[in-house]
Amino acid sequence: MNHELRQPEDDDPVVMTVDERSVWVYLVVVVVTSVAYFAVIIPRVLSQPVEDVSWIAPLLWAIGFSIVGTIVGSIVGSIGGAIGLAIRGIEPKGQLEGDLRDKEIKRLGDRRAAVVASSAMFGVLVLAMFGADLFWIGNLVYLAGVIGGLIETTTKLRAYRGGL
Amino acid sequence: MDFALRHQGWGLAAGLVWFVAYWTLLIVRAATDDVPFTQVAWQHPMLWFLLAGVIVYAAIYAASWWSTRGGIRTDVRDAEIRSRSDAVGTGFTAMGAVVALAMLAFGVGTFWVAHTIFFASFLGTLASTAQTVAAYKDGLDR
């Protein structure tokens, strides 16, 4: 039996780069952690006045999980990608690294997210000026991060799938 | 190329003046009202400075647009410089947001939280504008 790994041919499916896989991981992590966070917070908001809602611990957990989840998920994803290629008999070396296209896509997604994040930061400043409760300030910052993350990942994935 | 360099270059200069003016105003207020720095009434100055910043930048943008009429305003190189510069500033804003959340978690007052976001956004804009001006002056392949 031949165990030599070969280079991919034109007929092989396009290899997903580590960068694209990380975008998928980030999307999943953002959705899971933010849904979990709001599932904890919204019932509390409905049942008591916002000044009394304890939101800081869940928020820190949500942020912590999304950071660790993205890092661990990306590492597992890239190892899995390399193993998957090797199983199909394709040499993973040189296939998974991002190229100029990945760089362009990254910039495009980051820019879209930045627009959302900076407009939201303006909203946060206005809330702070009018002395809004810290609950609203903190949650707007978090929501901005979530929406920014969703826009970033969907922009990137659309660019990967549909072209730039 | 002239267009982006003009509005970014003048915007950078105006932004620096704007930032220094804001903090000078706060310090003067703290001194004349004889209150601790964090007790200064910063809300109205910040609101007015943000509005004034938008208006001044819009005026600079319009003036650059007018002074480059008749030429090509944006080519591939301009677009490349813009996308690279924008990417530089993003990190600062994101970091500011995370730091602000951490400060909220530790019960730091609104004054510092708001000014952390304010400062981080300013730094982000400063970094991306400086990157744009540098790219036009020194080229993209340094």
Side-chain angles (χ1 to χ4, degrees):
Chain A
M1 197 175 153
N2 185 11
H3 284 290
E4 279 290 300
L5 294 175
R6 62 182 172 82
Q7 291 297 313
E9 284 157 21
D10 289 347
D11 295 343
D12 282 312
V14 177
V15 177
M16 191 188 276
T17 60
V18 170
D19 294 342
E20 186 180 353
R21 214 173 283 269
S22 302
V23 177
W24 279 108
V25 170
Y26 184 42
L27 175 64
V28 172
V29 167
V30 167
V31 170
V32 170
T33 52
S34 59
V35 166
Y37 173 74
F38 288 115
V40 170
I41 290 302
I42 290 173
R44 290 188 188 178
V45 174
L46 295 178
S47 63
Q48 51 190 313
V50 284
E51 304 88 64
D52 302 335
V53 172
S54 64
W55 53 278
I56 288 172
L59 185 95
L60 291 180
W61 278 112
I63 294 175
F65 268 119
S66 47
I67 293 173
V68 175
T70 309
I71 295 172
V72 173
S74 300
I75 294 171
V76 171
S78 51
I79 295 171
I83 292 174
L85 279 181
I87 287 173
R88 282 190 277 147
I90 298 173
E91 170 66 53
K93 208 173 170 219
Q95 299 301 320
L96 296 165
E97 289 88 345
D99 55 11
L100 205 59
R101 180 164 175 267
D102 291 83
K103 217 176 192 177
E104 287 282 322
I105 290 175
K106 181 180 179 328
R107 279 194 201 135
L108 176 73
D110 289 354
R111 266 172 74 177
R112 294 257 171 97
V115 173
V116 178
S118 28
S119 342
M121 287 311 125
F122 183 73
V124 169
L125 284 179
V126 172
L127 279 184
M129 280 171 212
F130 289 108
D133 191 79
L134 290 184
F135 172 86
W136 296 114
I137 297 177
N139 280 282
L140 182 61
V141 176
Y142 179 69
L143 192 65
V146 170
I147 295 175
L150 290 177
I151 289 181
E152 179 188 328
T153 46
T154 45
T155 305
K156 287 180 184 174
L157 293 174
R158 278 175 61 125
Y160 273 116
R161 299 278 130 187
L164 272 164
Chain B
M1 90 161 238
D2 239 15
F3 171 61
L5 182 57
R6 270 182 205 200
H7 73 77
Q8 295 271 306
W10 283 106
L12 178 64
L16 288 171
V17 172
W18 175 88
F19 191 72
V20 172
Y22 175 77
W23 285 103
T24 310
L25 181 71
L26 280 206
I27 292 167
V28 168
R29 271 203 171 189
T32 52
D33 295 356
D34 206 19
V35 289
F37 192 55
T38 54
Q39 308 283 310
V40 173
W42 56 273
Q43 293 86 343
H44 280 109
M46 190 189 272
L47 190 62
W48 287 115
F49 265 80
L50 289 175
L51 285 176
V54 170
I55 293 168
V56 169
Y57 186 64
I60 291 173
Y61 195 90
S64 316
W65 182 267
W66 179 250
S67 64
T68 52
R69 66 191 179 283
I72 296 170
R73 290 204 180 90
T74 311
D75 59 17
V76 181
R77 182 163 172 269
D78 295 309
E80 177 70 19
I81 289 178
R82 201 186 142 196
S83 102
R84 287 196 197 190
S85 304
D86 284 355
V88 174
T90 320
F92 284 97
T93 316
M95 209 154 44
V98 173
V99 172
L101 279 179
M103 290 168 91
L104 287 173
F106 288 110
V108 180
T110 319
F111 177 88
W112 290 115
V113 174
H115 283 89
T116 301
I117 292 174
F118 181 73
F119 188 58
S121 308
F122 175 74
L123 273 188
T125 316
L126 192 68
S128 84
T129 316
Q131 162 81 13
T132 307
V133 174
Y136 278 112
K137 295 281 176 206
D138 304 337
L140 277 168
D141 300 314
R142 276 171 305 146

